[in-house]
Amino acid sequence: MGTLYVTHPTFLEHASPSWHPERPDRLGAVRRGAVASSTVVQELEATSVQPAALEAVHPAEYVRAIEAFCSTGGGHLDADTYAVEASWNAALHAAGAGPQAVDLLDDGAADTAFLAVRPPGHHALAKRAMGFCLFNNVAVTAEYLIRRGQRVAVIDWDVHHGNGTQDLYADRVDLLYVSVHEYPFYPGTGWLDETGYGPGVGTVVNIPVPAGTTGDVYRAAFDRVIDPVVAQYEPDWVLVSAGFDAHRRDPLADIGLEADDYGFMARRIKQMVPAGRVIYFLEGGYDLEAIEASVAATLRGAAGHDDDGGPGGRSSAEGWRALDLVEAEQRRFWKIG
């Protein structure tokens, strides 16, 4: 049935400083990739998030503080994270796109959804904006699903660890968080021994890999860790924090993925849950050519197309050793290996 493509003109109005890598031009590259994939069956404008859905993740006082900050013209919330007046409306629509996609997929509108949203979300904490993120878009959608009795797995392949999502759910059993990311790197979290706490012990799976790691280790991570863990968790939905900054061309990171590696991961994710139960959320990715190619490959993989050229590089022994350590850590909680 194809892909729902959800976006909104207001995302272009979230204007970045001239030097900032998280810029409106990224959405043009995403759109070109979506068109090139030949999978999109419907493009929709994102709706604004309902206050109850947003405040299920972010306290009302934090939401009001972001609104007030934007209404006075915005500025820098930290060294990396900015907002302008229009960012408020953009952030509301970015947070609203996920619940909207859930409802549409529930009605059988498509097999998957891709949300081309700005600002991104996976670094946003409950009460703090950071890492270019104001509200945690994937967490808003996860909570929307959980409160409907659904089990959710979040797979985060952005090159930066999704500290915000992990922090929101690390003590809970109703969400499985899996992240593969460069380490050590911003934001400094995501080591393999961060596995959740309290009732949530074992529901956090961090796969930190060193600079220079390529698609062979990422693919093996699905074989050895991600696929078996998700199968045992048995989610009803998979939400993907889809950053494309692990591509070898990205200027902000040092991982060596190719577009085909994203297609491989999307094909694997498609097999984890029934059709109509996967949603992709745009996170990072700052090279326009890499974004275009990677989005096209992701959507073709999500549709089940097998045009994989294989991994584009060979990882060092350190990359493989990192995966060995993750596998050993996760055996404490899951039947793997």
Side-chain angles (χ1 to χ4, degrees):
M1 290 176 60
T3 305
L4 292 178
Y5 183 83
V6 185
T7 191
H8 197 280
T10 193
F11 299 145
L12 297 173
E13 298 170 1
H14 174 55
S16 59
S18 59
W19 54 267
H20 204 286
E22 205 293 282
R23 60 202 190 276
D25 288 351
R26 297 173 66 235
L27 292 184
V30 173
R31 182 182 296 278
R32 291 191 295 274
V35 171
S37 76
S38 300
T39 68
V40 174
V41 295
Q42 189 175 6
E43 179 173 339
L44 299 168
E45 288 195 354
T47 57
S48 184
V49 67
Q50 293 297 312
L54 185 59
E55 292 172 14
V57 173
H58 297 285
E61 60 269 22
Y62 171 76
V63 174
R64 289 195 297 269
I66 294 295
E67 180 181 19
F69 184 81
C70 294
S71 69
T72 58
H76 280 272
L77 290 151
D78 63 23
D80 300 313
T81 310
Y82 68 92
V84 296
E85 185 175 357
S87 299
W88 170 247
N89 195 37
L92 292 181
H93 284 81
Q100 175 188 10
V102 166
D103 292 343
L104 290 166
L105 292 177
D106 260 347
D107 288 341
D111 291 327
T112 192
F114 188 95
L115 314 184
V117 298
R118 294 179 64 246
H122 73 150
H123 293 307
L125 300 162
K127 299 179 182 180
R128 179 186 170 192
M130 64 179 291
F132 313 162
C133 305
L134 303 183
F135 300 134
N136 196 311
N137 306 319
V138 72
V140 169
T141 304
E143 196 63 27
Y144 183 73
L145 286 164
I146 289 166
R147 295 190 177 199
R148 294 167 50 163
Q150 303 292 289
R151 287 170 66 82
V152 177
V154 172
I155 297 178
D156 189 333
W157 71 41
D158 190 280
V159 80
H160 304 95
H161 179 243
N163 60 302
T165 310
Q166 176 176 298
D167 188 72
L168 285 160
Y169 288 99
D171 64 342
R172 293 174 55 172
V173 298
D174 45 15
L175 183 137
L176 174 71
Y177 179 70
V178 180
S179 177
V180 54
H181 50 270
E182 184 177 344
Y183 187 96
F185 205 37
Y186 181 89
T189 54
W191 184 237
L192 58 86
D193 64 355
E194 297 171 30
T195 56
Y197 59 91
V201 168
T203 63
V204 174
V205 180
N206 280 310
I207 306 173
V209 296
T213 301
T214 62
D216 51 0
V217 166
Y218 273 65
R219 291 165 183 247
F222 273 80
D223 290 335
R224 293 167 53 180
V225 179
I226 299 173
D227 282 352
V229 168
V230 173
Q232 290 168 69
Y233 187 76
E234 297 182 316
D236 300 301
W237 289 75
V238 176
L239 309 180
V240 183
S241 277
F244 299 102
D245 38 9
H247 192 281
R248 64 175 179 80
R249 291 179 54 94
D250 196 89
L252 298 190
D254 295 294
I255 298 297
L257 297 191
E258 301 281 357
D260 281 349
D261 296 315
Y262 291 103
F264 170 89
M265 293 190 288
R267 277 191 299 279
R268 286 297 186 87
I269 290 168
K270 173 182 172 59
Q271 298 168 15
M272 293 175 177
V273 287
R277 294 294 180 267
V278 180
I279 303 175
Y280 291 84
F281 296 72
L282 179 64
E283 300 283 5
Y286 308 101
D287 180 272
L288 301 184
E289 182 178 321
I291 293 171
E292 180 178 345
S294 300
V295 168
T298 295
L299 293 185
R300 287 183 59 78
H305 295 287
D306 189 6
D307 46 7
D308 185 6
R314 296 180 63 183
S315 296
S316 67
E318 289 77 12
W320 288 103
R321 175 59 176 160
L323 183 56
D324 290 341
L325 292 172
V326 169
E327 188 174 5
E329 179 71 21
Q330 290 301 321
R331 285 196 194 104
R332 298 168 54 206
F333 312 106
W334 306 97
K335 295 177 181 178
I336 59 176

